[in-house]
Amino acid sequence: MDAYLQLEKQFKKLASYHHLAAICGWDQATMMPDGGNEARANAMSDLAVLCHETLVAPEVGEWIKTIDAQSDTLTDEQKINVREIKRQWAHATVLPSDLVEAKSQAGSKCEHQWRKQRRDNDWLGFAPNLKSVVALSREEALKRSAHTGLTPYNAMLDLYEPGMTTEKLDALFADLKSWLPALTHQIIEKQKANALISPKGPFSTEKQASLGQQFMSLLDFDFNHGRLDVSVHPFCGGVPEEVQISSYYAK
């Protein structure tokens, strides 16, 4: 049981690091001045490496081995915790720290440059940044594929949807294709018979933000544990105790 408590303590520390990373990312997208991005990207890549090395530390693997040998002493909840910890650990041990750092740096640079390039419709300028992100993702996919025996795409897919494969997705979308087009046509025909309400703008950013906050209040969003801000690309992040939502308002 000591091994379980040590493992739990390690992952509580890791959760704190992830909390800090989430808040740094939120600030980068909503509050940070443009001139701070290089320093912020460096800090966030260092934090990403710290999270990675905390997860793949040699003692973590030893604790997992010890726990596996005495799993009958764990509660059902603890067994679930260990299952998910082992999954995270197995995924993380595939990657070297330098690749984790490079991916974090490339992602920060690409996203930050995209804000200006999006505004200027400069897709040719955006391409080199995206190319770097894609190349690093492909490198990761190949490493995961070699480790798991899955195809590169399935190895990456498993990160987000455990057990899902392209074969299962092909069957799922084949079923959708058999009935979705007809349903879409029915909806279009039905809408033709209904009078549409045409909003009369323009609507100020302040009014749009106020409407969003009213909807959040109707849904009992706890503004004591979260907030709504503005970013070029809307997102929801943070942690359960500190939820960060952002929106982008049309002008």
Side-chain angles (χ1 to χ4, degrees), residues 79-90:
K79 289 178 181 178
I80 293 172
N81 286 341
V82 172
R83 181 193 69 196
E84 295 306 308
I85 285 172
K86 287 172 68 175
R87 175 176 164 75
Q88 291 182 47
W89 175 78

Side-chain angles (χ1 to χ4, degrees), residues 1 65-76 78-79 82:
M1 186 59 68
K65 288 181 182 178
T66 301
I67 292 168
D68 282 343
Q70 52 185 223
S71 60
D72 56 340
T73 65
L74 301 177
T75 66
D76 288 343
Q78 289 171 335
K79 289 178 181 178
V82 172

Side-chain angles (χ1 to χ4, degrees), residues 3-127:
Y4 177 84
L5 293 177
Q6 289 174 309
L7 194 62
E8 187 179 63
K9 182 179 179 180
Q10 184 85 345
F11 272 74
K12 285 182 177 178
K13 179 168 64 176
L14 181 60
S16 294
Y17 294 160
H18 284 154
H19 186 167
L20 291 174
I23 300 307
C24 283
W26 159 78
D27 180 78
Q28 183 185 40
T30 60
M31 302 290 185
M32 185 193 74
D34 285 347
N37 192 63
E38 183 175 353
R40 180 65 57 86
N42 290 335
M44 291 182 69
S45 66
D46 285 343
L47 185 53
V49 171
L50 177 61
C51 289
H52 178 72
E53 293 180 345
T54 300
L55 180 53
V56 302
E59 57 268 28
V60 173
E62 293 302 317
W63 292 332
I64 289 174
K65 288 181 182 178
T66 301
I67 292 168
D68 282 343
Q70 52 185 223
S71 60
D72 56 340
T73 65
L74 301 177
T75 66
D76 288 343
E77 181 178 342
Q78 289 171 335
K79 289 178 181 178
I80 293 172
N81 286 341
V82 172
R83 181 193 69 196
E84 295 306 308
I85 285 172
K86 287 172 68 175
R87 175 176 164 75
Q88 291 182 47
W89 175 78
H91 280 308
T93 54
V94 176
L95 303 182
S97 294
D98 58 352
L99 179 55
V100 172
E101 181 179 15
K103 282 195 66 185
S104 178
Q105 284 274 4
S108 289
K109 179 182 178 181
C110 184
E111 194 275 339
H112 189 72
Q113 292 295 323
W114 165 81
R115 299 181 201 177
K116 180 177 183 296
Q117 290 159 341
R118 175 186 181 276
R119 183 191 65 207
D120 297 340
N121 201 29
D122 180 16
W123 301 111
L124 290 177
F126 175 68

